Amino acid sequence: MRATGWHDTAPPAEGWTPVTLPDSWAGRWPGFDGVVWYRLTWDQPGQVREAGLLLHYLNMAGEVSLNGTPISRDDSLVEPLTRAWNTPRYWLLAPPLLRPGTNTLLVRVSGLFAYQAGLGPVSLGTPAAMQADFERERLIRRDLQVLGLAVSAAASAFFAALWLLRRRETAYGWFALMSVLWLLFGYNQIATSPWPFASNHSWQALNVSLLLVFGVSYVVFALRFCGRRMPRLEAAALLLAMAGVLDLWLAPGADLIAHRAVWTLVGGLTVIAVNGTSIVHALRHRDSPMRSLAPFMAVSALTDAHDLLVFTQIIDSNTYYTTMSSYILLLGMALTLAAQFVKSLKRIENFNTELIEEVNAAKADLAATLAQRHALELTHARIGERVNLVSDLHDGLGGMLVGSIAKLERTPENLGAPELLAMLKHLRDDLRLIIDATGRDDGARALGELLAPMRYRSAQLLEANGIDCRWSVSNIETLELPASQSLDLMRFLQEALTNVLKHSASRRVDVTVARAGAELRLSVRDDGRGFAVESIDKATGAGLRSLQARARRLGAQLQLQSRPGETQVLLRMPLAAQP
């Protein structure tokens, strides 16, 4: 029975019309928003027992009384109406509420015709049977809806975090956005108030707007998940959604209901189209990642189609399954992600195995190369030592032999025994110098040990020619040098002293050999006539050029200073780290 106003508190006495439950008054009274009364009666046997009463749903808000006693009332029976359309209700009826004979259940429903206003099935039976039916209804209408929304919330957080960590995986970002939009859209299933809006019409405008934007996100997600971009299609979907949102919020109140129905169909069909296209793509492309997601999208497409048929009242029902199926699609995404992870893990394991094999092979090659290089270095070192030895024999002993032979050939009759003995002693001293410098097996010998015999021989030679030779040696007791460097130093000192003997006409020479930190200093200072330093480039300066050549071989710095009465030859050679 239709009431005359929103605030009627009692049903009219006449004008009752028989209806079959579930009932929606939109077809009977098109355009009617307000209050409709439903009256149900039944006969109770004389012996009254407890009974269970189940009201599957009423749309939107209502008040229920039994035999004139109120047993339930929603908070708001006028706009903004309490959104109790998806809430099952169960009562345990017992005396004195339930009485023998005729019992009357009166239901006052406040609703809006655009949203299938009316009353759902009402069942009466044993408490156990009705309790079981109520639990089943609550599971479908509330619990699974809440679970679906919770899953959407978890999915949005998880995939948003995954996208933030891997920005190039844009499909995850779009799936996170989809999950947020679906969470907001699906909240309609459990919302009990249109807050923050003052009417259910504004609430529905927001809800359909969310569905349209969700459809655009779903389109882009499906493309990105397949690794594709279709700018024109994406732009067209976005423009269509924007047009729908503007139309919903700018449409006059009287036209909002029709506009809402149209755009709901557009949003729902968009989701179905994306699901269908993705399934076809998966069937045509065996290597597409969509193949693992296609079965779950098929379930989503079926639930979407069912809910659209319920929305258009082609199916006489009040139960929507799309929100509940959201976690099925999420399960598909989780399984797909897990499959990709396992695949990547296998690739990493194979890569690690291959890398270990390559590293081992490289290590073997490197070891062989290092062994070859070490052998070559040993060979080069031996050859270098031999070359240096040959060079020193050639420069020292060889030169003296050639000079002595030439002298014997030119004037053999003028050479007496003393002269021949002196020549042999010179040859012996030069040979002893080479032996002293290179005689040890390890190629290294303390510089002080090598310097001692040369100091003795040179002092004898200089003093025999009237030159006072004074030596100063410090901090070289533990200094060891390679044989080649030791011999070059001895040759350098020998050449410097020979120059003093031949050219200086001096009476005194001071020789200093000292280590100062990481440097070896060798100085030969005399009080002779001196010379012009620039003359070393001339043929007459062959001895000084020899000093320069040996300084370069030692990596040392040579300083020459000379004036009448004082000449100094200074060699400064850097040393490697010494113990």
Side-chain angles (χ1 to χ4, degrees):
M1 171 65 68
R2 184 169 65 173
T4 57
W6 282 97
H7 299 282
D8 286 355
T9 57
E14 299 177 349
W16 292 92
T17 303
V19 296
T20 301
L21 298 180
D23 176 67
S24 173
W25 73 62
R28 186 181 312 109
W29 301 308
F32 175 69
D33 296 337
V35 175
V36 171
W37 294 88
Y38 290 88
R39 185 175 63 191
L40 297 87
T41 61
W42 72 93
D43 289 332
Q44 188 71 24
Q47 186 178 0
V48 178
R49 296 180 178 177
E50 288 184 342
L53 177 65
L54 174 63
L55 193 158
H56 292 248
Y57 66 87
L58 58 81
N59 196 356
M60 288 258 179
E63 181 181 19
V64 182
S65 62
L66 176 61
N67 298 325
T69 301
I71 60 175
S72 175
R73 187 182 191 279
D74 291 322
D75 294 336
S76 179
L77 302 180
V78 297
E79 279 283 37
L81 291 170
T82 297
R83 297 180 58 79
W85 64 278
N86 210 23
T87 304
R89 305 154 194 258
Y90 168 75
W91 299 276
L92 178 62
L93 306 179
L97 188 60
L98 188 62
R99 61 194 182 191
T102 302
N103 289 266
T104 301
L105 183 71
L106 195 63
V107 182
R108 175 189 176 187
V109 178
S110 298
L112 307 170
F113 86 96
Y115 311 124
Q116 303 177 21
L119 180 64
V122 178
S123 303
L124 183 70
T126 63
M130 292 301 99
Q131 179 71 31
D133 290 346
F134 169 69
E135 296 292 344
R136 183 169 54 254
E137 283 290 311
R138 186 171 62 180
L139 175 67
I140 295 175
R141 293 181 175 275
R142 302 289 299 181
D143 295 347
L144 290 179
Q145 306 288 352
V146 172
L147 177 61
L149 297 179
V151 168
S152 295
S156 61
F158 175 77
F159 283 98
L162 190 61
W163 172 71
L164 289 174
L165 294 174
R166 297 174 60 87
R167 293 293 184 89
R168 65 179 182 275
E169 302 288 350
T170 55
Y172 296 142
W174 284 104
F175 192 84
L177 177 61
M178 282 170 48
S179 300
V180 172
L181 293 171
W182 190 252
L183 172 66
L184 298 175
F185 172 74
Y187 180 69
N188 178 63
Q189 303 290 321
I190 63 172
T192 58
S193 168
W195 183 89
F197 303 105
S199 70
N200 279 278
H201 293 315
S202 298
W203 174 270
Q204 290 298 330
L206 172 65
N207 209 45
V208 178
S209 298
L210 291 171
L211 177 62
L212 292 173
V213 179
F214 170 82
V216 177
S217 303
Y218 201 20
V219 170
V220 180
F221 159 73
L223 291 172
R224 298 296 182 273
F225 194 71
C226 295
R228 300 182 62 186
R229 291 179 179 271
M230 300 180 67
R232 293 184 179 180
L233 176 61
E234 296 169 19
L238 178 61
L239 290 175
L240 182 64
M242 292 176 60
V245 171
L246 292 175
D247 181 64
L248 286 166
W249 290 98
L250 298 178
D255 299 332
L256 177 61
I257 295 171
H259 289 222
R260 174 243 182 188
V262 170
W263 290 113
T264 299
L265 287 174
V266 170
L269 291 174
T270 299
V271 175
I272 293 174
V274 172
N275 286 327
T277 304
S278 299
I279 294 171
V280 172
H281 176 82
L283 293 175
R284 290 182 176 179
H285 301 82
R286 291 184 176 274
D287 58 343
S288 172
M290 193 64 73
R291 289 182 69 85
S292 58
L293 201 58
F296 304 95
M297 299 183 80
V299 175
S300 177
L302 291 176
T303 57
D304 293 342
H306 170 271
D307 289 358
L308 281 182
L309 294 176
V310 171
F311 175 77
T312 56
Q313 300 185 7
I314 296 175
I315 295 179
D316 189 9
S317 175
N318 183 259
T319 304
Y320 293 88
Y321 295 104
T322 302
T323 304
M324 292 182 286
S325 69
S326 62
Y327 56 84
I328 297 177
L329 184 60
L330 176 63
L331 176 62
M333 279 294 296
L335 292 177
T336 301
L337 187 62
Q340 292 179 350
F341 176 78
V342 170
K343 184 178 179 181
S344 299
L345 186 60
K346 289 182 178 179
R347 291 178 59 188
I348 292 173
E349 291 175 348
N350 293 335
F351 174 76
N352 287 338
T353 302
E354 295 175 359
L355 182 61
I356 291 173
E357 293 177 355
E358 292 179 359
V359 168
N360 290 334
K363 288 170 63 177
D365 292 342
L366 180 60
T369 302
L370 290 176
Q372 294 176 357
R373 181 177 178 181
H374 181 66
L376 288 174
E377 288 177 350
L378 288 177
T379 303
H380 290 166
R382 290 168 182 166
I383 294 174
E385 292 295 332
R386 292 172 183 174
V387 169
N388 290 336
L389 181 59
V390 170
S391 177
D392 284 314
L393 288 173
H394 176 271
D395 294 342
L397 187 61
M400 295 181 68
L401 282 173
V402 171
S404 298
I405 292 171
K407 190 174 183 180
L408 286 171
E409 289 179 343
R410 287 197 306 272
T411 58
E413 66 282 356
N414 297 331
L415 292 176
E419 288 81 2
L420 290 175
L421 181 61
M423 291 172 58
L424 291 175
K425 286 183 177 180
H426 284 303
L427 292 173
R428 178 201 63 188
D429 292 342
D430 195 85
L431 181 60
R432 188 174 292 168
L433 176 64
I434 297 174
I435 294 172
D436 289 341
T438 61
R440 290 184 58 172
D441 294 337
D442 58 2
R445 190 171 180 181
L447 184 61
E449 297 180 14
L450 297 174
L451 196 61
M454 180 175 181
R455 174 180 177 179
Y456 173 75
R457 292 193 297 270
S458 62
Q460 279 190 330
L461 179 62
L462 291 169
E463 289 175 358
N465 288 273
I467 301 175
D468 182 18
C469 182
R470 301 184 183 185
W471 288 75
S472 175
V473 180
S474 61
N475 298 328
I476 64 170
E477 293 80 5
T478 60
L479 177 61
E480 292 187 354
L481 298 175
S484 59
Q485 286 188 340
S486 297
L487 188 57
D488 276 330
L489 283 172
M490 296 300 102
R491 289 292 192 193
F492 181 91
L493 185 57
Q494 184 182 45
E495 185 70 35
L497 292 175
T498 299
N499 288 338
V500 171
L501 180 63
K502 290 181 178 180
H503 308 296
S504 67
S506 62
R507 296 184 178 182
R508 174 176 171 175
V509 60
D510 294 300
V511 181
T512 303
V513 181
R515 178 170 63 173
E519 184 178 74
L520 177 66
R521 296 184 180 182
L522 192 153
S523 172
V524 177
R525 183 192 302 268
D526 67 72
D527 60 353
R529 65 170 68 96
F531 64 93
V533 175
E534 59 272 11
S535 67
I536 60 175
D537 291 332
K538 300 177 182 179
T540 57
L544 294 179
R545 290 202 304 275
S546 176
L547 293 178
Q548 281 192 330
R550 292 196 180 274
R552 285 195 297 271
R553 288 175 57 179
L554 290 168
Q557 180 181 0
L558 177 63
Q559 296 179 359
L560 300 176
Q561 296 178 356
S562 182
R563 69 172 185 268
E566 182 179 5
T567 298
Q568 182 183 21
V569 177
L570 176 63
L571 181 74
R572 302 175 62 182
M573 185 181 79
L575 297 174
Q578 295 288 324

